[in-house]
Amino acid sequence: MRPIFIAFVLGSVFTAPALAQETRPEIVGDAIPQPLVAIRGDPVRGRAIVVDRQVGLCLLCHSGPFPEQRLQGTLAPELAGAGRRWSEGQLRLRIVDAAKANPATIMPPYYRTDGLVRVASAYRGKTLLTAQQIEDVVAFLMTLRD
Amino acid sequence: MSRQALMRLAHFSLAVLLVAFGFAASATEIPLSERKSGYEFMGPQSRAMQDDDTANPGMLSVFDGEALWNAKTGATNQSCAGCHGDATQSMKGAAARYPAFNASRGRPLDLEGQINLCRADRQQASPFAYESRELLALTAYVARQSRGMPIEPTIDARTQPFLDAGRAIFDLRQGQLNLSCAQCHDDQWGQRLAGTVIPQGHPTGYPQYRLEWQSLGSLQRRLRNCLVGMRAEPYAVGAPEYVDLTLFLMWRARGMKFEAPAVRP
């Protein structure tokens, strides 16, 4: 029953256009074990996305081991140690759609376009990050072990 | 149990879970005694700038507004003072009671809306554009007359539906970031969004001078800033949604001291 149930949930959450070229993320437990794209995530690119306040937006809410970045957020858990606390698949799910792990979360869904309301026209139908960017961020977060 | 029955059970459990978490996720209102104006989150220099009329940049607009209050205009060649007299008396406390229900429009109007209604009906003059120098100045002059007075919009059978509509907007998760006003301003106030302390979101001092804007601006402008930050479609300039949201925010700030023209970072 379980795979059917997961497929039902995913079918209602992920839209077809955003996934045209990419693997459909399959949730297993509280993780997405499989990468969203075939190309391996690049931690250097991932770090650049995380600290970019217009792209990743991460440091608006999170703080982390980025000594050159002033004015980091305090709304959300510290990113230091994220790669020790979570598995790669758990991190991937929490970026794709953190509400799947915690429905009360304020973390925006980075790879979901449906179920959102009043999205500004410039962003309508677009995910916050691309599948490749998410893989880059996951690869970077996995390096944060301390 | 059949496969179909199992599926139904699974769907039902999911629905129950979502509903349960939905309630758990809803924001909790700030207790009345714990409410703080944005003033209390500012440093001593910004506070001093607001408190000293000779240093508060908003006061320049207040003086502009005083001149506009007394200027005859429109087809009727009527001034605000012609009907309302001395604003320091007649407008005392008025801004602290807005948005207020207007019978001819069948809905509450904010102060800007009321000023433009007076221009249309009494002066037969064209309305001022939102965020224009003139509308901000007249609003600031009227608002200044309520400084230090408690905020107290009238909530009754006529305004209640608009208050409810404003609350619904406050609680609505919207935009690409899927955030509601409540998630930041009820639940996370005092935390830092990037480097900036999140205030509780009480509109105690509008129109207000924001150092970030380097100008006086309306609450509508401030609300648009937040919506843009959430990557939500801003309501159109002058849209009734802003008035409903303003009514809710003023009710949420009921009893707090009115500070216009406030200074904020």
Side-chain angles (χ1 to χ4, degrees), chain B residues 156-167:
Chain B
D156 57 19
R158 297 179 308 176
T159 53
Q160 185 71 46
F162 301 95
L163 176 80
D164 294 342
R167 183 201 301 271

Side-chain angles (χ1 to χ4, degrees), chain A residues 37-85:
Chain A
V37 287
I39 303 165
R40 227 183 141 66
D42 174 357
V44 176
R45 277 203 309 256
R47 188 188 196 279
I49 292 164
V50 167
V51 300
D52 190 317
R53 285 149 206 263
Q54 270 78 51
V55 180
L57 313 172
C58 309
L59 299 190
L60 299 186
C61 295
H62 296 272
S63 54
F66 314 106
E68 82 286 7
Q69 294 291 328
R70 301 187 55 204
L71 308 176
Q72 303 181 18
T74 62
L75 275 67
E78 168 78 29
L79 294 180
R84 177 171 34 80
R85 294 195 300 273

Side-chain angles (χ1 to χ4, degrees), chain B residues 6 22 65 111 126 130 133 148 182 191 205 207 209 230 235 258:
Chain B
L6 267 171
L111 202 50
S126 55
Y130 275 85
R133 187 190 66 82
Q191 297 291 333
Y209 189 92
M230 291 147 69
Y235 302 100
F258 200 68

Side-chain angles (χ1 to χ4, degrees), chain A residues 1 4-5 8-9 53-54 57 59-61 71-75 103-109 112 116-121 123-124 126-128, chain B residues 3 6-7 10-11 14 18 21-22 24-25 172-179 183-184 188 190-195 198 227 231-235:
Chain A
M1 186 200 82
I4 300 169
F5 178 54
F8 166 79
V9 174
R53 285 149 206 263
Q54 270 78 51
L57 313 172
L59 299 190
L60 299 186
C61 295
L71 308 176
Q72 303 181 18
T74 62
L75 275 67
T105 189
I106 59 169
M107 170 112 172
R112 162 159 75 91
L116 305 179
V117 297
R118 306 199 69 263
V119 176
S121 54
Y123 300 103
R124 214 165 289 154
K126 294 175 185 162
T127 56
L128 258 159
Chain B
R3 191 183 183 84
L6 267 171
M7 284 294 291
H11 290 180
L14 177 71
L18 286 178
F21 277 109
L172 177 69
R173 292 183 74 149
Q174 54 176 312
Q176 194 191 36
L177 303 191
N178 199 32
L179 292 170
Q183 284 179 303
C184 276
Q188 300 284 341
Q191 297 291 333
R192 287 180 182 272
L193 182 69
I198 299 175
L227 289 165
R231 299 189 175 178
E233 192 67 39
Y235 302 100

Side-chain angles (χ1 to χ4, degrees), chain A residues 92-109:
Chain A
R92 191 176 285 113
L93 175 71
R94 279 152 183 78
I95 299 169
V96 164
D97 191 2
K100 284 280 172 295
N102 169 21
T105 189
I106 59 169
M107 170 112 172

Side-chain angles (χ1 to χ4, degrees), chain B residues 61 116 127-139 216:
Chain B
S61 290
N116 270 336
F128 290 130
Y130 275 85
E131 301 306 310
S132 64
R133 187 190 66 82
E134 292 89 347
L135 188 55
L136 286 169
L138 256 180
T139 311
L216 199 74

